[in-house]
Amino acid sequence: MFDLEKIRQDFPVLGERVYGRKLAYLDNAATTQKPLAVIDKEREIYEKCNSNIHRGVHKLSNLCTEMYESARERVRSFVKAKSASEIIFTSGTTASVNLVAYSFSEKYLKPGDEILVSESEHHSNLVPWQQICFRKGAKIRMLPFDEEGCLRIDLLDELLNERTKLLAVAQVSNVLGTVNPLDTIVKIAHRHGVPVFVDGAQGVQHADIDLVASDFDFYAFSGHKIYGPTGIGVLYGKERLLEELPPWQYGGDMVSSVSFAETRFAELPLKFEAGTANYVGATALGEALDYLDKLGRDKIHAREMELNDYAFTALSKVPGIRIFGTAKDKTGIASFLLDGVHPADAGEILDKMGIAVRVGQLCAEPVMRHYGINGLVRASWVFYNTYSEIDALIEGLDKVRKMVLD
Ligand code: PLP
């Protein structure tokens, strides 16, 4: 069964006090807390075997290389990719998007081509595509969302055409919490012969992922949002596509032979991993994935759905609240405004009560523009959060209203 008290002990930060009050950490969409298994693994590596990978002949180097490559296999099995060659370690989702944006545009993007990006993307899955379009004389087009925060997939057939080279879309919006209907989106895009880049930064930690069945062409996520360390992330690409793309960074470890006349690049996946890799982060990420599998991903999902019901029911009763993103299929993300209250004021008052939320534009200015607002408050919860933390948020909002409006 789901022993919440025991689970919370695995995450030391959750027991902290801030300003003398119990911490209610409700900023999980920004980053998740780390279980001891992850923290201990990093410490263990630095204490027992730290050594640079892939190039050493000595015992420690071989150990770290083995750990790094097992982590790659661990990620492969977690996302059910066909081959470990399709798993590239990066520093995070942003780096993964930039890698594909740069490399893909070098190979395929010509003046007049188009890239279609959804309106609800995090800047990380928008700005890289926009900038390569500017550089190549291509055009970035927008797939809009409706008032509930659902993508207008009814417009997809119209927006995709023979000039479209790629569609970039998030699995889950970091503002609206909407779980996008990727099955349908991918099918439509593929019918037009357009590959799909899926930003899984807010999705991978909440749902089982099967990259073979889902048929995404590219998929990216960040370790720190799935209970792993910062500075490590993943890019998945179908092998055939990755084979065709040129490297985007050059240096050690991504080459097979170098002379002043020419350089031959290493095979996948190393072709895309220039320089010393984050072998410690990758290995600790593997621990995070093990941790989730041990807890049981279906149990995690069920628990998060219970919290969703509880939290959204409670939030909807807060006087003067407007919730942005009311799709049926949502993760534990509530972005909202309180009538007459600036989000920054709300964030600051909640903080003093020990409640950690996010405020501002949430790295998604086009979403703010859609609604004609300057910012939001975002509370985001995951399986380790409690009903009493949600209650604390509701009480906190009551206090915010009293302090600002009375
Ligand atoms: N995409 C989405 C949907 C996000 O929520 C985030 C981070 O909040 C990112 C991309 C960027 O992730 P990172 O900063 O780990 O690269």
Side-chain angles (χ1 to χ4, degrees), residues 40-54 56-68 276-283:
D40 290 348
K41 182 50 77 176
E42 292 217 328
R43 189 185 175 92
E44 182 193 320
I45 295 172
Y46 286 126
E47 279 185 353
K48 299 225 165 103
C49 63
N50 178 50
S51 219
N52 208 331
I53 56 168
H54 287 152
V57 289
H58 57 83
K59 173 86 177 162
L60 296 194
S61 172
N62 287 335
L63 256 176
C64 284
T65 303
E66 255 168 53
M67 287 190 311
Y68 181 65
T276 295
N278 184 358
Y279 51 93
V280 181
T283 307

Side-chain angles (χ1 to χ4, degrees), residues 97 114-133 139-145 151 156 159-160 164 166-170 194 197 199 366:
V97 182
E114 295 177 2
I115 287 185
L116 183 61
V117 178
S118 105
E119 188 184 12
S120 55
E121 293 313 298
H122 185 283
H123 294 159
S124 287
N125 199 29
L126 164 59
V127 181
W129 305 114
Q130 177 197 55
Q131 293 300 310
I132 56 142
C133 282
K139 187 169 166 192
I140 182 157
R141 299 192 70 192
M142 184 181 89
L143 171 65
F145 65 83
L151 292 180
L156 259 183
L159 287 165
L160 294 164
T164 318
L166 187 129
L167 165 61
V169 62
V194 173
F197 183 104
D199 169 353

Side-chain angles (χ1 to χ4, degrees), residues 92-94 122 124 174 199 201-202 222 224-225:
T93 307
T94 306
H122 185 283
S124 287
N174 69 305
D199 169 353
Q202 297 290 349
S222 300
H224 71 96
K225 291 191 199 280

